[in-house]
Amino acid sequence: MEIPKPRGTRDFLPPEMAKRRCIESRLREVAVHWGYGEIKTPTFEHIELFTLKSGEGILGEIYNFKDKGDREIALRPELTAPVVRMYVEELQKSPKPLKFFYFDNCFRYERPQKGRFREFFQFGVEIIGSIRPEAEAEVIAMAVEMLKMAGVTGDLHVGHLGIVRSLLKDILPEHQGKIMRLVDKKDEKGLEDFLDEINAPDDMRGKLFRLIGLRGINAVHEARELVGDIGAISQFDALLSLLDVYGLEYQVDLGIARGLDYYTGMVFEIYCDGLGAQNQVCGGGSYRLAQLFGGEDTPSTGYAIGFDRIMEICEVKPAAPVSIVVVSFEDTRKEAIVIAKRLRKHVVTYIDVMGRKFKDQISYANTIGASHVVVVGKNELDAGKVALKDMKTGGQELLTVEEVAGRLKE
RNA sequence: GCCUGGGUGGGGUAGCUGGUCAUCCUAUGGGACUGUGGAUCCUACGACUCGGGUUCGAAUCCCGACCCGGGCCCCA
């Protein structure tokens, strides 16, 4: 009986993998050039790592199980919490800032859709130990650069949770969370109803609605008038001017709340067309998780790119490598293996493993799109050479193996 | 979790107003062809997603499950 892959998972065939690797290496290149070091954390963690503060949203979607030692284990639904866990566990006394990047699979139990899978891949970056807008701006600029390198263009929205939250400081924390979620959804009706329900003061309500509607160049100025000259405002102001320095185009959007509850300061999201309902390809912000995991309070900033979503919309054709096929006859098969072994040091080389006849070996070379065929026959070997056949032109010439290698290097 | 469209060989399809061995194309393996590829011919391989129900009889009609696609929710 046939066993299908589990729902929401995918197999990646060679052509697809070539494309994925191509994009991955471009993102990787950006991260490395910006001075970030690659890290890898376990595929599964103790479930508390995610239940502690990731927000209600994520809880219902966690893949979890009890292991044989009766531990409650979860497949990671995201990578920020594990990175912070790793930091708290072994890197607290390292010189700051710490700059990391990762590329790994995550798991969420959700209804699969376009650009949404149960096993999906995130390419992310975290900078740990800086509270400054410089760090926030760097991270945003890097996100934009990565998307650019991947060949996708998106709309960058930047907000700051501290500003909205300052309005809500007199409201119960659990109500705050609910309000933020409604804000994020842009569900004004629901927000109004909820504010009615908890008897929110009129003054606050008015300011909240005006605040989350702020957009554009004067947004910061207007926000300052609404909530006063608080720290979050000046921090946000400083961040925006740095984004200008980086030459980024962005939209101020104080209505961004993010689904994960651990964000505390700057938040940003990048949206792209062509993905249906899943138009968010990148999201991130500043957070304070270290303390929650038993470490010292440490400000951090990071983001994650939805790698699969990028793959969905980016247009790349990885360059097909030049490849050749070594063909031989019954009486020269062993010599052909030796020659193929030598040629593989220089060029992608195939050799028949099906016991095919000479003609069919050439036919095979044709079907896989080999650029050349190296004929290893009695006649050629007697001359101490092989025949190099150009599959495009059909032309053929006698050369030594070294000459063949030299010819095919370019 | 909710709403919605769909599942026929590896890929693409016909059949789907119930009734001969389920159509065709393509791909793949082998051969015609014993030192030269894309063609042709032959041959092999290979499917009604699964389970119930209606019926003398189901790929076809009904129900359920599973899976895929689209939307909501949420998120990457």
Side-chain angles (χ1 to χ4, degrees), chain A residues 379-405:
Chain A
N379 302 343
E380 289 80 5
L381 289 177
D382 285 346
K385 302 193 172 180
V386 296
L388 179 66
K389 179 187 176 75
D390 186 321
M391 293 296 279
K392 262 260 169 53
T393 66
Q396 193 167 314
E397 54 186 318
L398 260 189
L399 298 168
T400 66
V401 174
E402 280 67 33
E403 286 169 334
V404 169

Side-chain angles (χ1 to χ4, degrees), chain A residues 192-377:
Chain A
E192 237 170 285
D193 293 347
F194 183 68
L195 292 174
D196 282 341
E197 195 182 314
I198 63 171
N199 287 319
D202 282 345
D203 174 53
M204 189 225 89
R205 297 173 59 136
K207 284 183 176 176
L208 179 60
F209 275 102
R210 284 183 58 195
L211 200 57
I212 62 179
L214 291 181
R215 298 285 186 282
I217 197 80
N218 291 318
V220 176
H221 187 70
E222 292 169 35
R224 184 174 275 131
E225 286 180 354
L226 284 171
V227 300
D229 197 11
I230 58 172
I233 292 272
S234 20
Q235 168 117 7
F236 191 55
D237 202 11
L239 167 66
L240 296 185
S241 68
L242 286 171
L243 293 182
D244 292 333
V245 172
Y246 275 106
L248 301 184
E249 278 184 39
Y250 57 86
Q251 228 187 313
V252 172
D253 183 352
L254 292 171
I256 299 178
R258 309 279 308 136
L260 300 171
D261 284 349
Y262 49 65
Y263 291 104
T264 53
M266 177 279 287
V267 285
F268 75 101
E269 298 180 339
I270 302 177
Y271 312 97
C272 289
D273 293 331
L275 279 163
Q278 278 65 241
N279 64 342
Q280 190 185 319
V281 296
C282 176
S286 296
Y287 55 89
R288 286 161 178 270
L289 272 178
Q291 198 171 33
L292 196 66
F293 298 155
E296 280 181 46
D297 188 23
T298 311
S300 310
T301 303
Y303 66 84
I305 287 176
F307 189 77
D308 306 285
R309 293 184 179 175
I310 285 188
M311 292 309 301
E312 201 97 12
I313 52 177
C314 74
E315 301 285 340
V316 278
K317 297 172 207 76
V322 174
S323 59
I324 63 165
V325 177
V326 174
V327 302
S328 61
F329 304 89
E330 271 317 307
D331 57 347
T332 55
R333 295 195 93 92
K334 291 180 177 165
E335 288 83 350
I337 290 173
V338 174
I339 287 168
K341 187 180 170 193
R342 285 165 68 190
L343 285 171
R344 279 198 264 258
K345 293 198 170 73
H346 307 96
V347 62
V348 177
T349 305
Y350 294 79
I351 189 165
D352 175 58
V353 292
M354 296 285 281
R356 285 191 173 116
K357 295 176 189 154
F358 181 77
K359 183 168 183 163
D360 292 327
Q361 294 179 37
I362 292 185
S363 179
Y364 175 73
N366 186 57
T367 65
I368 66 167
S371 67
H372 294 79
V373 159
V374 171
V375 180
V376 179

Side-chain angles (χ1 to χ4, degrees), chain A residues 2 17 54-55 71 77 81 84 117 122 143 148 162 165 183 229 241 244 260 269 309 319 342 355 376 403:
Chain A
E2 201 169 305
M17 276 313 291
S54 288
R71 288 171 279 258
V84 174
F117 307 94
Q122 289 195 334
K148 190 174 149 202
R165 282 240 163 91
V183 167
D229 197 11
S241 68
D244 292 333
L260 300 171
E269 298 180 339
R309 293 184 179 175
R342 285 165 68 190
V376 179
E403 286 169 334

Side-chain angles (χ1 to χ4, degrees), chain A residues 93-223:
Chain A
K93 301 303 178 193
S94 305
K96 306 294 184 300
L98 292 164
K99 297 182 171 186
F100 301 129
F101 78 92
Y102 52 78
F103 174 61
D104 257 317
N105 51 352
C106 297
F107 307 85
R108 289 186 198 173
Y109 196 89
E110 288 184 282
R111 177 85 163 76
Q113 240 178 79
K114 186 182 180 70
R116 174 197 283 176
F117 307 94
R118 290 186 172 177
E119 182 188 25
F120 60 100
F121 289 77
Q122 289 195 334
F123 194 109
V125 153
E126 312 289 341
I127 175 164
I128 299 173
S130 173
I131 195 172
R132 312 254 327 160
E134 284 87 338
E136 298 175 334
E138 173 167 311
V139 152
I140 294 174
M142 199 175 1
V144 171
E145 177 72 8
M146 281 188 184
L147 293 180
K148 190 174 149 202
M149 291 297 284
V152 309
T153 50
D155 285 338
L156 168 63
H157 289 225
V158 187
H160 197 295
L161 293 182
I163 297 171
V164 180
R165 282 240 163 91
S166 72
L167 269 186
L168 309 178
K169 57 180 180 294
D170 296 328
I171 292 179
L172 292 173
E174 53 265 42
H175 290 167
Q176 282 187 31
K178 170 104 188 209
I179 290 174
M180 294 310 286
R181 244 166 286 129
L182 290 167
V183 167
D184 192 41
K185 261 185 256 182
K186 317 267 188 256
D187 179 2
E188 303 214 349
K189 183 71 173 55
L191 183 54
E192 237 170 285
D193 293 347
F194 183 68
L195 292 174
D196 282 341
E197 195 182 314
I198 63 171
N199 287 319
D202 282 345
D203 174 53
M204 189 225 89
R205 297 173 59 136
K207 284 183 176 176
L208 179 60
F209 275 102
R210 284 183 58 195
L211 200 57
I212 62 179
L214 291 181
R215 298 285 186 282
I217 197 80
N218 291 318
V220 176
H221 187 70
E222 292 169 35

